[in-house]
Amino acid sequence: MRRAQLAEASEKIHQGDKLREAGDNEAARKQYAEAFEVLPDDALSARQLKLHSLSQYSETTLALAQQKMQSKQFSEAEALADDVLGVEPMNRDAAKLKAMLQNADPENPAFSAELLTDVDRVNGLLRNGYDLIELASYDAARESFNKVLLIDKYNTAARSGLEKVDRLAIDALRSSRDHMRSDMLRKVDEEWQVKVPDDLSSQFGSQDIGGGLEGGSVAILEKLKSIVFPRIEFLDLSLREVILFLGAKTKSMDNLEPDPELRGINFLLKGGDVDRTVTLSLSNIRLLDLIELIADQTGTSYSIEEYAVEFRSHSSDEVSLITRTFRVPPDFLKTAVVADTGANDDPFAEGSTGGGSELHTRMDVADFLRQNGVGFPDGASVFFNPSSSSLIARNTATNIGLIEEIVNRAASSVPRQVVVELKMIQTTMETLNELGMDTLVGGFNLGGSDRVFGAGGTVGNQFVGEQGLGSDFPLVFPGAGSQVAVPVGTNPLTAGLRSSNSLREQVTIDSLLEGASSGGSQKSPAVIGVSGVFTDPQFQTVLRALSQKKGVDLASSPSVVVRSGERASILLVREFIYPTEFDPPEIPQEFGGAAAGGGSFPVTPTTPTAFETRNVGTTFEVEPVISQDGTSVELNLAPAVVEFEGFVNYGSPITTVEGGETIVLTENRIPQPIFRVVQLSTTVSIWNNNTVVIGGLVSDEVSTINDKTPIFGDLPFLGSMFRSKVTDQRRRALIFFVTVKVVDPGGQPITGSTSLLSNAN
């Protein structure tokens, strides 16, 4: 009986699913209801099927209610919602539908099923967005809230969600910035550590050849270095016989190869005269040194290939040379490191930065062609004119054909450009600590005598007038005017002790713009002061204690698009304009009796007539060259940081003597700026869509002052009143992240797997 009921209910559910797929929700609803009624209530095996039929009934009924709403049958739609709530009182979708139908105005033309659908989508997206925030998936949450705004652009809940996402993302990024900053400062501290090489033996001893070999070539080189002949003797043997002997001998002397079938070294002879003879008699010689002597004696050259050691003879036959001119693209040549020509070694020459060329010059065209397999026999030559993009070659017919193939391949390539994205992160930390005391002592009688007196020292850190007293010493004599304020104690015991301000006297561009004066007090503000006014002697002692930390973080992310083989510059600078040429001062030769009468006469000081502009800040020059297949980019990088350090006065005052007194007519200042330059220049090759990091631009400058008054500063306990200690530490770290992306003229990225030479034929 129950088995028949289960089979009947399953069939009705199956029919309901078919009707629902066909869009007949009314008939499907009846099938689900009949399946629910057929199933028994007390059978455990039917419980899962009964719940499924109930769920399908509710979903189909709500879909039918949506259809009723589209046809403006709102009362029927509400009845269907009540029907669902009757069998599933906790159905949220039915409850929301009923609440909307009850609160809405059926006569409002905007009230429709589409509106209900949008409301449901908005509520679902909002819930999803806030759930993603809890999971710290900020990008996904932002996308969910933006989808809400596409539906309802005035939705305040979505705006609030986006604000929360941005706030949390900012907190996370600030934490990342703090981590980056601390990591860069840690690297600054690591620079103080003396690094010991892991393997001292690698720093000394002989250096064997082998650079640039790979795979089988390295294996052959190791065998050449390991095989040593105790005794070797050749007497007028031909080069062919010597090669055959070495090939056979190395099979028994090869101890590096475990497989007996692979032991030994292959030797080949290509071209030329094979009857050249070898005469040698040697003891305890490596095979590597032996083949060098054989090549030298026979006038041949050898190379270590993947499979063998090849000997080649030098042919002296004359060859026929022809001349051809080719049109080539502008980025035909790659860049490479070349020796500095020293053409601009004068640091005072026009346009010189004192550091030579900022970017390497282009590779020689002959070297470029040699790298691509073109030979240059005697008499062959090549010339490249970049202004007209022409290549003039004189070579053999075979090599001319090879050059033509290289030029055609370069000309048929898809035009390519490079997007260079630069991210510069600079962090600066300044720490200042000071602890010291200043003491003033007034006049007093010595030994009770009214004829012998004592006092503190002469005027050293005592300022009179408007400048300084309010900040240097807090206690002044009562009733003293502002222009003649004199501190209690008057005479200093610690006149020579320096304070933190003496370390911070540096001229910057900002201080010049703000008009800051360098004639301010040399004392940092006092923390507390103690004074005795009605004592004998009068005194005043102040404690100068200071602990300051200042951090500056700078992050810049410029980008530039540049053609392959051309230079681009990214400047994050201020223009600093300073005079370079001056007219000499003008002093009248005849004063007309004015000076004798105690009057004045006109003097024209040195006057600037020409100016120069220097960029102060960060300059980044880059020259990318794309490989032929577009998978890698060769970058010629030259970052430079220029900082203004201050002025040096190259002038001297112009004076005259009047009545035995020297009078300064003009200061005649000729200020010239001093710049601090940190510059790197390097060439690297990286894959497309990858990033290269340039670091190491770190500095740690520590300035320390330890001053004390002799004798008094050495006293126990009381000596601290006559000592000062100041430590000023400045740390700077700079990192560049350079990302390259190869794109076509339309700005579309070119993937590394795409061959740019596919259209060459």
Side-chain angles (χ1 to χ4, degrees):
M1 179 66 178
R2 289 182 178 177
R3 183 175 298 177
Q5 289 175 334
L6 291 174
E8 182 182 357
S10 298
E11 179 61 27
K12 290 184 178 294
I13 292 175
H14 179 67
Q15 292 297 328
D17 292 340
K18 286 186 175 181
L19 291 170
R20 187 176 179 183
E21 290 178 0
D24 192 352
N25 292 321
E26 184 70 39
R29 176 171 172 264
K30 291 180 179 179
Q31 291 292 328
Y32 294 134
E34 292 175 0
F36 182 81
E37 295 296 335
V38 168
L39 291 169
D41 296 332
D42 56 346
L44 294 176
S45 58
R47 181 172 299 176
Q48 188 68 29
L49 197 59
K50 197 175 184 70
L51 292 175
H52 176 68
S53 62
L54 178 61
S55 174
Q56 293 295 94
Y57 174 80
S58 299
E59 291 182 6
T60 307
T61 303
L62 290 176
L64 183 60
Q66 297 284 350
Q67 292 177 351
K68 297 293 185 183
M69 289 182 59
Q70 291 179 358
S71 59
K72 303 296 184 180
Q73 299 177 12
F74 300 115
S75 58
E76 290 83 350
E78 186 174 356
L80 291 171
D82 289 335
D83 190 9
V84 174
L85 291 174
V87 295
E88 283 189 317
M90 304 304 294
N91 191 299
R92 296 176 58 184
D93 294 333
K96 287 194 298 183
L97 178 62
K98 181 175 175 60
M100 181 171 294
L101 289 168
Q102 288 177 344
N103 297 327
D105 182 9
E107 302 299 328
N108 189 342
F111 186 70
S112 63
E114 290 80 2
L115 176 62
L116 292 177
T117 303
D118 289 344
V119 171
D120 288 340
R121 289 180 57 198
V122 165
N123 291 333
L125 289 171
L126 287 175
R127 286 196 303 270
N128 183 60
Y130 282 103
D131 290 341
L132 290 171
I133 288 178
E134 296 298 326
L135 297 175
S137 299
Y138 301 134
D139 292 337
R142 184 180 290 107
E143 182 180 356
S144 184
F145 290 131
N146 284 328
K147 288 180 179 178
V148 172
L149 294 177
L150 289 176
I151 301 172
D152 179 12
K153 64 180 180 181
Y154 299 111
N155 192 290
T156 56
R159 298 288 183 186
S160 300
L162 287 173
E163 180 184 0
K164 185 175 182 180
V165 168
D166 290 339
R167 185 169 63 251
L168 293 174
I170 288 173
D171 293 339
L173 292 174
R174 284 177 177 171
S175 176
S176 177
R177 183 193 67 182
D178 293 340
H179 171 255
M180 172 67 76
R181 185 165 173 269
S182 63
D183 183 65
M184 295 173 71
L185 293 175
R186 175 186 60 80
K187 292 178 180 178
V188 173
D189 287 335
E190 288 179 353
E191 293 300 320
W192 289 104
Q193 181 180 3
V194 178
K195 296 178 176 61
V196 180
D198 295 333
D199 185 7
L200 294 177
S201 62
S202 64
Q203 307 297 321
F204 308 98
S206 62
Q207 300 292 329
D208 291 326
I209 65 171
L213 299 180
E214 297 182 358
S217 301
V218 175
I220 293 177
L221 176 62
E222 292 301 321
K223 292 181 181 181
L224 291 173
K225 289 194 275 187
S226 65
I227 296 176
V228 178
F229 288 93
R231 178 71 181 175
I232 192 76
E233 186 170 353
F234 298 134
L235 181 61
D236 290 335
L237 293 182
S238 67
L239 182 57
R240 179 186 293 276
E241 293 173 329
V242 170
I243 288 176
L244 293 175
F245 169 79
L246 293 177
K249 193 67 174 175
T250 54
K251 288 185 178 294
S252 61
M253 301 182 68
D254 185 3
N255 297 321
L256 298 180
E257 182 59 56
D259 188 354
E261 298 295 331
L262 300 178
R263 290 177 182 172
I265 301 174
N266 297 321
F267 291 89
L268 298 177
L269 177 60
K270 290 191 175 182
D273 186 2
V274 298
D275 295 328
R276 297 176 182 177
T277 59
V278 179
T279 301
L280 290 172
S281 180
L282 301 168
S283 300
N284 295 323
I285 183 170
R286 292 189 310 172
L287 181 55
L288 178 62
D289 300 326
L290 177 62
I291 63 174
E292 289 182 355
L293 292 175
I294 293 173
D296 189 34
Q297 204 174 91
T298 58
T300 59
S301 62
Y302 77 94
S303 62
I304 303 174
E305 305 296 338
E306 285 282 331
Y307 54 89
V309 176
E310 290 187 359
F311 284 88
R312 296 183 179 88
S313 62
H314 304 294
S315 176
S316 60
D317 298 334
E318 294 186 0
V319 294
S320 176
L321 303 179
I322 59 177
T323 303
R324 280 196 59 184
T325 301
F326 302 92
R327 295 281 297 177
V328 296
D331 59 347
F332 179 68
L333 293 182
K334 294 184 177 180
T335 56
V337 179
V338 295
D340 191 0
T341 59
N344 193 15
D345 291 335
D346 183 6
F348 298 99
E350 183 177 358
S352 172
T353 61
S357 175
E358 292 187 353
L359 286 178
H360 301 304
T361 59
R362 292 180 182 272
M363 175 186 290
D364 183 77
V365 63
D367 294 335
F368 173 73
L369 294 176
R370 286 191 184 97
Q371 287 187 0
N372 286 271
V374 179
F376 284 87
D378 293 340
S381 62
V382 65
F383 172 73
F384 174 62
N385 187 354
S387 61
S388 61
S389 296
S390 59
L391 181 72
I392 303 173
R394 178 174 175 78
N395 213 316
T396 63
T398 302
N399 287 327
I400 288 293
L402 184 57
I403 294 174
E404 183 177 9
E405 180 181 352
I406 295 172
V407 171
N408 292 337
R409 186 174 56 189
S412 61
S413 300
V414 176
R416 297 161 293 173
Q417 301 180 116
V418 182
V419 178
V420 180
E421 298 177 354
L422 171 66
K423 179 178 289 186
M424 183 191 72
I425 299 177
Q426 181 177 5
T427 181
T428 303
M429 170 66 79
E430 297 185 12
T431 304
L432 177 66
N433 294 292
E434 177 184 2
L435 181 64
M437 289 188 178
D438 257 349
T439 303
L440 302 180
V441 176
F444 58 91
N445 294 56
L446 287 176
S449 170
D450 58 355
R451 296 184 180 181
V452 181
F453 299 91
T458 57
V459 176
N461 51 12
Q462 172 187 344
F463 292 98
V464 178
E466 185 177 355
Q467 172 184 310
L469 276 185
S471 59
D472 287 340
F473 293 95
L475 300 171
V476 297
F477 282 108
S482 61
Q483 300 298 323
V484 292
V486 178
V488 173
T490 309
N491 301 100
L493 288 180
T494 54
L497 302 190
R498 290 167 293 177
S499 186
S500 59
N501 283 353
S502 61
L503 291 176
R504 291 295 175 92
E505 279 192 338
Q506 56 179 0
V507 180
T508 64
I509 292 181
D510 290 328
S511 65
L512 295 177
L513 293 175
E514 296 169 1
S517 174
S518 62
S521 171
Q522 298 296 305
K523 298 292 182 180
S524 61
V527 176
I528 190 172
V530 178
S531 177
V533 179
F534 299 104
T535 58
D536 188 13
Q538 294 178 339
F539 70 93
Q540 181 175 182
T541 299
V542 298
L543 173 66
R544 305 193 189 277
L546 185 63
S547 180
Q548 289 182 339
K549 288 186 178 180
K550 178 183 178 182
V552 178
D553 298 324
L554 174 62
S556 301
S557 301
S559 62
V560 66
V561 180
V562 59
R563 290 192 302 178
S564 177
E566 301 213 357
R567 299 184 182 184
S569 299
I570 299 176
L571 306 179
L572 302 172
V573 299
R574 290 180 175 180
E575 290 188 347
F576 188 90
I577 303 175
Y578 59 94
T580 56
E581 297 181 10
F582 300 83
D583 280 344
E586 297 181 2
I587 303 175
Q589 300 298 320
E590 297 181 1
F591 306 150
S600 61
F601 49 86
V603 176
T604 303
T606 301
T607 305
T609 58
F611 295 85
E612 186 173 318
T613 300
R614 180 71 177 269
N615 290 331
V616 178
T618 303
T619 302
F620 196 93
E621 293 192 12
V622 58
E623 183 177 358
V625 177
I626 307 171
S627 64
Q628 291 183 353
D629 58 1
T631 58
S632 65
V633 179
E634 187 172 301
L635 290 176
N636 200 358
L637 304 172
V641 180
V642 180
E643 297 179 357
F644 171 67
E645 295 287 313
F647 286 103
V648 173
N649 181 22
Y650 288 96
S652 58
I654 298 176
T655 61
T656 186
V657 177
E658 180 180 346
E661 181 181 356
T662 301
I663 300 175
V664 178
L665 300 179
T666 176
E667 293 290 339
N668 192 38
R669 296 183 59 84
I670 306 178
Q672 290 295 285
I674 302 297
F675 299 98
R676 178 177 179 266
V677 180
V678 179
Q679 182 174 325
L680 294 178
S681 184
T682 183
T683 300
V684 296
S685 295
I686 63 173
W687 297 115
N688 183 22
N689 291 320
N690 277 266
T691 302
V692 61
V693 181
I694 301 177
L697 297 175
V698 297
S699 64
D700 193 357
E701 178 183 351
V702 181
S703 302
T704 303
I705 290 178
N706 286 295
D707 285 349
K708 66 178 180 180
T709 302
I711 302 177
F712 294 100
D714 297 325
L715 296 176
F717 183 69
L718 292 178
S720 60
M721 301 180 62
F722 303 93
R723 294 194 297 264
S724 69
K725 182 177 181 180
V726 183
T727 302
D728 185 16
Q729 184 177 21
R730 294 182 177 91
R731 299 180 180 180
R732 299 183 182 91
L734 181 61
I735 294 181
F736 295 96
F737 298 87
V738 185
T739 304
V740 295
K741 299 178 182 178
V742 180
V743 298
D744 59 22
Q748 298 301 317
I750 299 177
T751 60
S753 60
T754 302
S755 175
L756 298 178
L757 305 177
S758 58
N759 298 324
N761 297 325

